[in-house]
Amino acid sequence: LSHIYTSSWQRHPSRISGTLPADLFRGCPTLCRLIAHKRDAQRALEPGLELSGTLPAALSPLADFQDLRLGYNRLSGTIPAEFSGLTRLELRVNKDISGTLPKHARAHYLGLGSTALSGTIPTSIARGLTHLSLEETGISGTLPHLLDAPALTTLRVGYSQLSGTIPQINGSVWL
């Protein structure tokens, strides 16, 4: 098993709900992608999959795991340090995800808007970053080190506590 994919969108809503068991991935050593989120972002007021519980740090021993998309659920807790190795981390609209951003994230895509995250953006996060979504968070500080992110095509920071110069990017900026 290398991929788990389930999503909910307007025409085909998913009825999956419940908590994520801590040992959910035991026996799946080749899992590299878990996608369980609401697909139709245009309808953000509709519920996602209704998954709840804390983020499973048990993903860390999975050598090939790269892509975690659990946006639009009811997850809580902090982002485990083990998630810093992911190339894509999507947790948008999980209002009870708290704590700070992983310090050594190597992700190309960070979708963390509409969470209770706080703190500052680590300077090491800019390398290779293509998408950064931190809108409606308590993230504070300045943006200047993002000027060193030449691959950045999407920056979403509206309704956050960030300040500084908006980086010049070849894509979209949402303030």
Side-chain angles (χ1 to χ4, degrees):
L1 180 67
S2 64
H3 294 71
I4 297 175
Y5 180 84
T6 181
S7 68
S8 180
W9 57 298
Q10 186 178 7
R11 286 182 263 175
H12 304 285
S14 178
R15 303 284 187 242
I16 295 175
S17 63
T19 59
L20 290 172
D23 63 348
L24 176 65
F25 306 106
R26 190 174 353 136
C28 301
T30 59
L31 184 67
C32 65
R33 181 172 294 155
L34 172 62
I35 301 171
H37 69 122
K38 187 172 168 295
R39 189 170 171 191
D40 188 355
Q42 299 300 321
R43 301 190 178 274
L45 296 177
E46 293 178 10
L49 297 179
E50 303 298 324
L51 294 176
S52 60
T54 58
L55 294 169
L59 293 169
S60 62
L62 304 176
D64 295 331
F65 197 76
Q66 305 169 34
D67 187 346
L68 180 64
R69 298 183 215 176
L70 294 172
Y72 299 93
N73 283 291
R74 294 180 182 205
L75 297 170
S76 61
T78 59
I79 299 173
E82 295 86 356
F83 285 13
S84 23
L86 297 175
T87 57
R88 182 175 179 134
L89 179 59
E90 170 73 53
L91 298 172
R92 291 185 72 232
V93 193
N94 278 288
K95 302 281 186 189
D96 294 325
I97 298 287
S98 60
T100 58
L101 294 172
K103 289 192 179 5
H104 302 291
R106 67 176 184 104
H108 299 290
Y109 186 105
L110 284 173
L112 302 172
S114 298
T115 61
L117 290 171
S118 60
T120 59
I121 302 172
T123 55
S124 61
I125 217 168
R127 288 186 299 274
L129 196 60
T130 61
H131 178 102
L132 181 61
S133 171
L134 295 173
E135 76 278 5
E136 297 182 40
T137 65
I139 299 291
S140 60
T142 59
L143 294 171
H145 68 277
L146 290 177
L147 296 171
D148 297 330
L152 190 64
T153 58
T154 304
L155 176 64
R156 299 176 70 140
V157 293
Y159 302 102
S160 68
Q161 306 302 312
L162 291 164
S163 63
T165 305
I166 303 296
Q168 182 114 14
I169 64 171
N170 293 323
S172 61
V173 176
W174 298 46
L175 303 173

